[in-house]
Amino acid sequence: MNFKKVSRRPIATRPMLAGAMLWLVLMSMSLHAFAQVAGTVTQLSGPMLAKKADGKVKILSLKSEVEAGDTLVTEKNTYALVKFIDNSEITLKPGTTFVVEQFDYQAEQPEGDRASFNLLKGGLRSLSGLLGKRSKEKFSLKTPVATIGIRGTYFTAEYISAGGYAAPGSSLPKAGSPAGPTLAPGLYTSVTTGQIVVSNPGGTLDIAAGQFGFTPGFRQPPVLLPTNPGIPFMLPPVFNAGTGPSASNTTPGKSNNVDCVVR
């Protein structure tokens, strides 16, 4: 007697389809949650872009959100202040490329604190917030030549790539004339309050309030400088309208609701 084989493939039922749809919705919510809001742009003097983790480019304005994974790029005349959810602040100089690699903060869960940044180019000024005060060891600022840790701090960092930087007060050289004074390439740091630690494969250096540091290369140790190297940090007048480094006044001008996405 011959028996025909019967297919045992499952037939999609309504409960199965509903479960699949629920799984897709949860996955979408999970991916959205991964792009956690880290802070907000509270001051801005010109154009700034955010390169998103998915490859999109967003034009930021006042009150724009900054997410973990964003690469922030300021134009040549742009200063920008980002206030993070723990009340820390980072002010970016013109011509800066800065990555918010990771930022996790919840008031009731200090064990989950994490703040990891990467200064690829340009300069910034950093003011510690609640995360930096309770979880100093979980803050790191990478640069091409060294990593900066904090001890509850207000500090400045500037990375100068090959080619140097015209020293403040020097006139621009005329065509055909030799170049004016320059600062050597490397990482320059200064501390206003608190303390930072600069480290790389060449060594580790603690820099306290009122001191200036220089790291010439990735395998060259950081050293203290005897005087201020003179790198300017000239904020626009509207940035100085507040009462100190934590002021977050808005800049007059165009609407704050501009939020464009470049695909």
Side-chain angles (χ1 to χ4, degrees), residues 58 152 163 167 188 201 208 210 221 238 257:
K58 186 176 181 179
Y188 292 82
V238 68
N257 297 322

Side-chain angles (χ1 to χ4, degrees), residues 37-43 48 60-67 72 80-86 88-90 248:
V37 174
T40 305
V41 179
T42 59
Q43 301 229 39
M48 178 168 69
L60 300 183
S61 63
L62 284 174
K63 300 183 181 179
S64 288
E65 293 179 341
V66 172
E67 299 175 339
L72 306 181
L81 190 153
V82 178
K83 188 165 187 175
F84 290 84
I85 56 177
D86 71 328
S88 60
E89 295 181 356
I90 289 181
S248 298

